[in-house]
Amino acid sequence: MRAVELDATDAAIVRELQTDGRLAFETLAGRVGLSRAATRLRVQRLLGSGALQVIGIVHPAVRSIRAVAHLFIDVFSDAAPVAGAVAALPHIAPVSLTAGRFPLVAEVRGRGLPDLTEAVERVRALPGVRDVDTAVCTHVLKDPHLPAQDPRAVDVDPLDERLMRLLEKDGRTSFADLAGAVGLSAGAVRSRVLRLINASAIRVTAVVDPAALGFGRIGGFALRLEEESGDALNEVTSWERIHHLTRCLGRVDAIGTVAAESTSDLYSVYERLRALPGIRVVETWVHVETVKERYAPAPPEAGRLAVAGR
């Protein structure tokens, strides 16, 4: 994504699309105080710049993804080709090159711990990989892009799965275009999509390049809790610059992502973390390059056609 300067109206548009990525231009225009034509042009400019994407994000449980682990990967020499090989494996997303003790970080998702074990072993077997350190995610404390609620019981048939995959690529694809792609009427497609959204099976939302909001540095951190530190973690979750935070099982107790304006700003966040009682910062890193996006559509083998929500 390329950075683009957002004014107050752009920011208002983004906030509305983060709440409902399929909001009609007419409705969106009324909420931000512009004409429909002007609103459409602004959205197209943001989408065209790459600073904004509107995509569907399928709740992991809908695809039976109930186990997630963070991977810290050490390599013998050049990390870039190893990152490409890791990104090509199924169930791996995201993948980033970093400046830190481990030159590569990734996330693996699976139906259960056996899937995670198999995936980690495949990563370890790749040429150039020296070692893989893992931390199993137990629950998500902050993730602004996932559906806010666990999905209700919903049957997902092959047509629903096709619709979700189309929305993962472009969340604002019209009902008419979706209908043409799956061979149904626009009305039937509308009913299916709204059923999936209302059941929290999928959320259509705006995903913004942090650099477009002035956050040019993305970093990560790993924490150990030296005592019962629920209050401290709640405080960390509330910080604006903390974009993602998960509790973990393994050598670390929590892993998070920071979006900062600069390297010095990122350092200030790390220092603020270090000052919290009961928390020990055991690892920090700076993301140098994203090799695979976090919300890339899941591979076909990860799909599930008959699903009951949690």
Side-chain angles (χ1 to χ4, degrees), residues 154-256:
V154 56
D155 291 328
V156 179
D157 64 21
L159 283 173
D160 291 328
E161 180 65 29
R162 288 175 64 189
L163 289 170
M164 289 192 298
R165 291 191 180 281
L166 290 168
L167 291 171
E168 283 179 302
K169 295 178 180 178
D170 181 358
R172 289 190 66 83
T173 303
S174 69
F175 290 125
D177 288 342
L178 290 172
V182 301
L184 293 177
S185 70
V189 165
R190 182 179 184 277
S191 295
R192 281 176 176 263
V193 169
L194 292 180
R195 175 175 60 87
L196 293 168
I197 291 173
N198 291 336
S200 296
I202 187 171
R203 179 186 180 193
V204 180
T205 186
V207 177
V208 186
D209 176 11
L213 302 178
F215 299 116
R217 280 285 179 265
I218 306 298
F221 59 87
L223 307 175
R224 289 287 294 182
L225 305 183
E226 296 182 336
E227 55 189 57
E228 181 52 47
S229 303
D231 290 343
L233 282 182
N234 288 338
E235 181 179 341
V236 174
T237 301
S238 71
W239 294 355
E240 178 188 4
R241 283 167 170 72
I242 304 297
H243 278 215
H244 184 260
L245 187 65
T246 60
R247 285 295 305 266
C248 299
L249 181 66
R251 74 176 183 88
V252 298
D253 298 318
I255 292 175

Side-chain angles (χ1 to χ4, degrees), residues 25-39:
F25 283 119
E26 185 174 351
T27 304
L28 182 59
R31 293 184 181 180
V32 301
L34 293 178
S35 68
R36 184 183 184 281
T39 301

Side-chain angles (χ1 to χ4, degrees), residues 11-309:
I13 289 172
V14 168
R15 286 193 297 269
E16 293 293 341
L17 291 177
Q18 285 175 327
T19 301
D20 181 359
R22 292 189 62 81
L23 207 59
F25 283 119
E26 185 174 351
T27 304
L28 182 59
R31 293 184 181 180
V32 301
L34 293 178
S35 68
R36 184 183 184 281
T39 301
R40 184 184 181 93
L41 284 174
R42 281 186 177 252
V43 171
Q44 289 175 338
R45 176 177 63 84
L46 291 170
L47 293 172
S49 73
L52 177 74
Q53 291 178 301
V54 179
I55 58 174
I57 300 174
V58 177
H59 196 289
V62 174
R63 288 183 171 144
S64 299
I65 304 301
R66 301 185 182 278
V68 177
H70 298 275
L71 309 184
F72 302 89
I73 304 170
D74 196 7
V75 300
F76 286 105
S77 56
D78 190 356
V82 177
V86 172
L89 293 175
H91 309 301
I92 299 284
V95 179
S96 293
L97 293 166
T98 67
R101 185 160 70 95
F102 294 93
L104 184 58
V105 296
E107 187 175 284
V108 58
R109 305 169 186 177
R111 292 179 172 86
L113 293 178
D115 280 359
L116 300 190
T117 301
E118 179 183 355
V120 171
E121 290 305 313
R122 292 182 69 174
V123 172
R124 283 201 175 102
L126 290 173
V129 172
R130 184 194 300 270
D131 193 19
V132 181
D133 201 352
T134 63
V136 177
C137 174
T138 57
H139 59 279
V140 177
L141 299 176
K142 186 174 186 179
D143 191 327
H145 299 129
L146 286 179
Q149 301 175 343
D150 285 344
R152 298 194 298 273
V154 56
D155 291 328
V156 179
D157 64 21
L159 283 173
D160 291 328
E161 180 65 29
R162 288 175 64 189
L163 289 170
M164 289 192 298
R165 291 191 180 281
L166 290 168
L167 291 171
E168 283 179 302
K169 295 178 180 178
D170 181 358
R172 289 190 66 83
T173 303
S174 69
F175 290 125
D177 288 342
L178 290 172
V182 301
L184 293 177
S185 70
V189 165
R190 182 179 184 277
S191 295
R192 281 176 176 263
V193 169
L194 292 180
R195 175 175 60 87
L196 293 168
I197 291 173
N198 291 336
S200 296
I202 187 171
R203 179 186 180 193
V204 180
T205 186
V207 177
V208 186
D209 176 11
L213 302 178
F215 299 116
R217 280 285 179 265
I218 306 298
F221 59 87
L223 307 175
R224 289 287 294 182
L225 305 183
E226 296 182 336
E227 55 189 57
E228 181 52 47
S229 303
D231 290 343
L233 282 182
N234 288 338
E235 181 179 341
V236 174
T237 301
S238 71
W239 294 355
E240 178 188 4
R241 283 167 170 72
I242 304 297
H243 278 215
H244 184 260
L245 187 65
T246 60
R247 285 295 305 266
C248 299
L249 181 66
R251 74 176 183 88
V252 298
D253 298 318
I255 292 175
T257 302
V258 182
E261 295 175 358
S262 63
T263 302
S264 61
D265 187 34
L266 183 62
Y267 178 77
S268 296
V269 176
Y270 291 153
E271 288 296 280
R272 190 179 175 190
L273 281 169
R274 291 187 180 99
L276 286 175
I279 285 181
R280 180 161 58 93
V281 179
V282 297
E283 201 83 51
T284 63
W285 58 91
V286 179
H287 289 259
V288 176
E289 180 182 347
T290 299
V291 179
K292 188 173 184 180
E293 292 286 350
R294 176 183 185 130
Y295 293 108
E301 61 268 24
R304 184 182 182 187
L305 302 182
V307 177

